[in-house]
Amino acid sequence: HDLMPIHPYNHLEDPYSLYPHSLRNIDELCASIVRSHRETSQCRVEDLQALRWKLFSREEIQAYQNKSVDEMWQHCAIRLTDAVQYVVEFAKHIPGFRILSQNDQIALLKMGSMEVVLVRMSRLFNTENNTVFFDGKFAGTEVFKSLACGDLITAVFDFAHGMCALKLTEQQIALFSALVLINADRPCLEDRGRVQRVQRSVELGLTHILHRDNQDSLMHKLYQRMAVLRSLCGLHMEKLRWFSQRYPLTAHSLFPPLYKELFA
Ligand code: CLR
């Protein structure tokens, strides 16, 4: 049991503590995070393999490019919100997430849901031609041209490429997603201590499966990816502010309520 830490928390003091006390508990925690990832992942990677070369035609790309800026923003905001909704479901099924206060759950989702969407994007990414599965086919960066935020799109595609290079298993992606979400460093948390305990348990879970997979060195790389994610989401918010100033009406009346609630 060399993975078992000397834990500073007595679970009797905090009946809600989920800090794993044995390898069996870590296994259970991992299993339930993997299950909730699988059940909310929108799309199975195996199914996508068959569609790998289903690309948008010239005409279809042209149609996306001919959309007005606000039309394309609205379209993407709807797709993004749909993906975010699955991330919210994922979070709700993580045992440690459910025990947090409503306010802390919302604070974590506000900061982390877009980041998890981007982690999930790497599952739908084809590195051979730099395309992502979007709207039923594989789309390159040119499809998003009319959003007029090429730097964000390029950065997001680069991130997906880098994630793919790590060749994570679905289990590793599940645990990494949970760790991205349950981050005690986020602002505006009420009970940071409790978030920290849940974060430690998820960290322990990820360490455990990386160790089991003989890939301990990935942990360091994953922390680096988390820093990149933070900057990408900063860029996303910046673009959103730019857009809302330019097209207040679309931003106000045509964006999905959840998108506005989380990002605006
Ligand atoms: C992520 C994985 C989900 C399906 C999905 C839906 C919408 C996609 C998203 C993925 C990846 C990021 C994406 C988004 C639509 C627009 C957005 C391509 C594939 C790019 C980064 C543009 C962001 C612009 C907004 C600020 C409107 O299972």
Side-chain angles (χ1 to χ4, degrees), residues 41-43 72-73 76-77 79-80 83 114 117-118 120-121 123-124 132-134 144 147 149 152-153 156-157 236 239-240 255 259:
S41 65
Q42 244 179 317
C43 202
M72 188 62 180
W73 264 79
C76 287
R79 288 285 167 278
L80 212 49
M114 177 68 181
V117 166
L118 295 179
R120 287 176 160 212
M121 169 179 170
R123 302 170 62 247
L124 314 183
V132 67
F133 195 68
F134 167 82
F144 301 97
L147 287 173
C149 51
L152 172 64
I153 303 299
V156 163
F157 274 61
H236 171 231
K239 297 295 176 194
L240 180 62
F255 278 180
Y259 185 79

